[in-house]
Amino acid sequence: MDLNSILSMVGGLALFLYGMQFMGNQLEKMSGGKLERILEKMTDKTYKGVLLGCAVTAVIQSSSAVTVMVVGFVNSGIMQLSRAIGVIMGANVGTTVTAWILSLTGLSGDSLIVNLLKPSTFAPVLAVIGVFVLMFCKKEKVKNIGGIATGFAILMMGMTFMSDAMSGLASNEEFTSILVKFSNPLLGVLVGALLTAVIQSSSASVGILQALAISGSVSFATAFPIILGQNIGTCITALISSLGTNKNAKRAAFAHFYFNVIGVILALIIFYGGNAIFGLPFLNKAASASDIAIMHTAFNLFATAVLLPFTKQLEFLATKTIKDSKKDESKVDPAQKALIEDRFFINPAYAVEKCKDVTIEMANIVEKMSLSALSIIKNYSEEKANTILENEKTTDKYEEILETYLVKISAMDLNDEVSKDVFVLHHAIENFEKIGDYSEDILKARVAINERKYSLSEQAKYELSVMIAALTKTINLTMEAFRENDFSKAKQIEPLENVIDNLKKQLKNRHLKRVEEGECSVQNGFLYLDLINAFERIADHCSDIAVSMIELESGDYNVHTYVREIKETDKEFIENLDSHLEKYSLN
């Protein structure tokens, strides 16, 4: 090969790898984590896992990405190990779709249909369309389609460059003598495994082999063991991903490894055993790009069909490799169990979805804690008090875990929809933690009343109950709006927060008057004011959560417009409060 051919091959490889990565990223953005959600929820049967693993991999064009996600699922307890094995098998079959697409590069013939299917014909046109869409279209989904088209065009152009650069290798005796050595089964498997382990993509390594095959220099005897090795090499990504995970996640990675290794051993025995007995006349014939795709698909279908009935045995083998320890892992902190998998970063949209799931868990804890803090004012108990304190520590841990995770996600290439979700989650997490802090302040004030044997007047108690009623409604609405992503409920929160602000002012003035007239002690007055201040601050943080949701959905960053629009919101409840206030001449 001359210098120009080497540069063309290296440049083609660079384009090929970049195009594959870019197209995969755009496909993931377009899916928005929905495919992973389906994969997470619909693997109750092993055969479903196989089919879904195959389908998802075929769409996002990366078995490594799917396998890493599965390791994350198992590590976080979302998916059982036995179900994960089925998904891994399906992912191996799904990844063969790429090889069939790449085999278009090797089409030959002069008919119109064949010429239209050749990458040299459609790739430049696809690139022009894709780049035009990326540059001039504003809709995110349309831009994603343009990105997919652009990535695919770059991929096929890179494949064409590699094929053209390698076209003269068939007549190069030194090169063909090297390839002949790879026809040794063990050496071929080793080379295929190393190549795939280095570039961490079986689709890419198969594509390189196909580009070489187009030159006519690769025989079936050389290609077959290399393809088998490529399937072993792709396991390296999952094995690396399993570092630092729990035992079941490590077992999932090893199940993937054993599945491919056992499949390769069986294929070698059958293929070379058949050759020894019957003789395979095509072994020394040149393999085409489509022949590579056929062998790649045939092996993965064979391995899946043979080993699918033995998923329990694969699970047993993985369990024996990664044995249980005597250490009790059941005493893990609840917040630590909610730790989101860094492995999900391979698909940021799905990572944000999982982050939202954990934030909802945090919201549920905060809701229960804040309502308990309100109820403890009337009915104090040590059990409730201890639970509130424990939950406050838990919410602090949740905040630390979630904020760290979101900061990492924010640095990634996110589409507009996912960026909006990250914005809302940041605000929600911060405000949930603050609500937890003020719930603890309510508890402290209530404990002080007990310890100092203070008592509030009946009128003070009733005034607090009015404010508690408004705040309970506000907390419930806020949590429902966040959990359900319900903007109609979010719009009801600001008017209630205004009611609570007014209540605080009126109750404060009224209480100060009681202190001046000697109806209440100064010490009691401070504790009373601490309580209504905590109530008002909780309402403020509920409002902040709602405001961030409304602003982002509408694009209008003046939330007061919504207050004017919905003065009548929850009118019955507000009128009921007004009637209570009138009864005590607080208005």
Side-chain angles (χ1 to χ4, degrees):
M1 290 180 75
D2 58 19
L3 181 60
N4 286 336
S5 296
I6 293 171
L7 290 174
S8 181
M9 184 178 70
V10 173
L13 177 60
L15 286 173
F16 175 76
L17 294 174
Y18 176 75
M20 180 168 284
Q21 183 186 39
F22 187 75
M23 184 177 70
N25 289 341
Q26 297 302 312
L27 284 164
E28 286 169 8
K29 280 186 181 182
M30 195 167 180
S31 73
K34 293 182 180 68
L35 290 173
E36 288 77 5
R37 279 286 190 189
I38 294 169
L39 196 63
E40 174 189 332
K41 297 181 182 299
M42 293 182 64
T43 52
D44 55 321
K45 301 289 183 184
T46 304
Y47 75 89
K48 283 186 183 179
V50 173
L51 294 174
L52 283 167
C54 180
V56 173
T57 306
V59 172
I60 69 173
Q61 295 284 296
S62 176
S63 61
S64 296
V66 172
T67 307
V68 169
M69 294 290 289
V70 167
V71 170
F73 289 156
V74 175
N75 191 52
S76 53
I78 295 169
M79 186 182 289
Q80 294 178 357
L81 177 59
S82 57
R83 305 291 180 248
I85 293 171
V87 176
I88 289 166
M89 290 179 177
N92 275 29
V93 175
T95 195
T96 62
V97 170
T98 311
W100 284 103
I101 295 170
L102 296 176
S103 67
L104 293 172
T105 314
L107 285 176
S108 59
D110 297 323
S111 69
L112 178 63
I113 294 174
V114 170
N115 281 322
L116 287 174
L117 288 173
K118 287 181 180 179
S120 57
T121 303
F122 69 77
V125 176
L126 204 58
V128 171
I129 295 170
V131 170
F132 181 84
V133 170
L134 281 173
M135 289 178 67
F136 299 107
C137 289
K138 293 183 179 179
K139 288 187 177 179
E140 190 74 24
K141 289 184 178 179
V142 178
K143 287 184 76 172
N144 285 337
I145 294 171
I148 293 166
T150 304
F152 183 66
I154 294 170
L155 167 72
M156 298 309 290
M157 285 177 179
M159 187 73 175
T160 303
F161 285 168
M162 283 196 295
S163 303
D164 292 343
M166 295 174 182
S167 60
L169 291 176
S171 58
N172 188 311
E173 291 182 5
E174 291 181 5
F175 183 75
T176 53
S177 66
I178 293 171
L179 281 181
V180 168
K181 293 178 182 178
F182 294 160
S183 61
N184 177 301
L186 295 180
L187 185 58
V189 169
L190 181 62
V191 167
L194 287 174
L195 175 64
T196 309
V198 168
I199 62 178
Q200 295 202 19
S201 171
S202 61
S203 296
S205 62
V206 169
I208 293 168
L209 184 62
Q210 285 178 300
L212 192 59
I214 292 168
S215 70
S217 56
V218 180
S219 66
F220 280 90
T222 301
F224 185 70
I226 291 175
I227 289 170
L228 298 184
Q230 287 167 336
N231 282 276
I232 293 175
T234 195
C235 300
I236 191 68
T237 309
L239 289 169
I240 292 171
S241 172
S242 70
L243 296 174
T245 61
N246 64 29
K247 294 186 185 304
N248 272 336
K250 288 185 175 73
R251 288 166 183 164
F254 271 96
H256 182 214
F257 176 72
Y258 289 136
F259 167 73
N260 282 295
V261 168
I262 293 169
V264 165
I265 292 170
L266 292 174
L268 286 171
I269 292 170
I270 293 171
F271 187 80
Y272 290 101
N275 182 51
I277 297 170
F278 305 107
L280 301 176
F282 59 83
L283 270 185
N284 293 319
K285 290 184 179 179
S288 65
S290 57
D291 291 330
I292 302 293
I294 290 169
M295 284 189 279
H296 187 38
T297 304
F299 166 72
N300 282 289
L301 287 173
F302 161 77
T304 301
V306 170
L307 294 175
L308 183 58
F310 298 100
T311 51
K312 287 185 179 179
Q313 285 75 14
L314 282 172
E315 183 179 358
F316 175 78
L317 189 59
T319 304
K320 283 296 180 183
T321 305
I322 306 294
K323 295 180 180 179
D324 286 317
S325 63
K326 293 180 181 179
K327 184 180 177 182
D328 182 14
E329 296 182 354
S330 62
K331 297 178 181 178
V332 180
D333 188 273
Q336 196 63 34
K337 282 186 178 180
L339 180 63
I340 314 120
E341 292 291 314
D342 284 356
R343 290 149 199 86
F344 296 155
F345 288 150
I346 201 164
N347 186 336
Y350 180 74
V352 172
E353 284 292 311
K354 295 308 298 177
C355 197
K356 185 170 184 180
D357 287 346
V358 179
T359 307
I360 288 172
E361 289 178 22
M362 181 185 185
N364 292 338
I365 293 170
V366 169
E367 181 178 24
K368 193 178 295 183
M369 174 173 51
S370 56
L371 295 179
S372 290
L374 296 178
S375 69
I376 211 169
I377 292 171
K378 184 176 180 181
N379 299 308
Y380 181 84
S381 76
E382 286 291 335
E383 185 181 350
K384 274 187 180 181
N386 291 332
T387 302
I388 290 167
L389 292 173
E390 287 173 12
N391 285 340
E392 201 282 325
K393 289 177 183 176
T394 302
T395 56
D396 286 346
K397 290 176 183 176
Y398 266 92
E399 186 203 23
E400 182 183 350
I401 290 167
L402 288 165
E403 285 292 354
T404 302
Y405 198 75
L406 281 175
V407 166
K408 292 178 182 177
I409 294 176
S410 299
M412 297 177 181
D413 182 21
L414 307 176
N415 62 33
D416 291 344
E417 189 175 342
V418 176
S419 295
K420 287 180 180 181
D421 289 339
V422 170
F423 174 85
V424 171
L425 288 174
H426 267 304
H427 280 265
I429 292 161
E430 181 181 354
N431 283 293
F432 287 146
E433 193 274 333
K434 292 295 182 185
I435 291 171
D437 288 345
Y438 284 109
S439 298
E440 185 181 24
D441 287 348
I442 292 170
L443 172 63
K444 287 176 181 177
R446 184 64 180 84
V447 169
I449 290 172
N450 272 13
E451 289 176 349
R452 300 172 193 176
K453 297 181 181 179
Y454 293 155
S455 61
L456 298 172
S457 66
E458 289 302 313
Q459 186 159 316
K461 289 178 183 178
Y462 189 79
E463 290 169 2
L464 286 177
S465 71
V466 172
M467 200 168 180
I468 287 171
L471 186 55
T472 300
K473 182 78 172 179
T474 305
I475 292 169
N476 287 334
L477 267 175
T478 302
M479 301 306 173
E480 287 172 15
F482 179 77
R483 280 192 294 259
E484 300 163 16
N485 203 31
D486 190 326
F487 297 97
S488 63
K489 287 181 179 176
K491 290 178 180 180
Q492 297 176 39
I493 295 165
E494 182 69 14
L496 285 172
E497 194 272 334
N498 284 344
V499 168
I500 291 169
D501 281 348
N502 291 329
L503 274 172
K504 179 192 171 183
K505 291 174 186 176
Q506 294 173 49
L507 297 185
K508 180 181 178 181
N509 291 335
R510 187 168 181 79
H511 196 69
L512 289 174
K513 188 177 179 180
R514 283 199 295 271
V515 171
E516 288 174 6
E517 293 175 354
E519 295 177 17
C520 181
S521 68
V522 174
Q523 291 87 349
N524 278 9
F526 283 132
L527 292 174
Y528 180 87
L529 293 176
D530 284 345
L531 287 172
I532 61 172
N533 181 64
F535 292 169
E536 189 265 339
R537 295 300 295 143
I538 288 174
D540 283 347
H541 288 295
C542 287
S543 176
D544 285 347
I545 294 168
V547 166
S548 67
M549 291 176 65
I550 295 167
E551 286 179 341
L552 213 56
E553 177 66 11
S554 64
D556 184 347
Y557 291 87
N558 181 10
V559 77
H560 296 292
T561 58
Y562 289 96
V563 178
R564 288 195 296 272
E565 287 173 14
I566 51 173
K567 289 256 185 202
E568 302 301 311
T569 300
D570 220 355
K571 188 175 179 181
E572 182 182 344
F573 179 76
I574 294 172
E575 285 179 350
N576 190 37
L577 285 177
D578 287 343
S579 68
H580 287 303
L581 297 176
E582 286 169 8
K583 180 177 179 181
Y584 286 92
S585 302
L586 294 173
N587 279 330

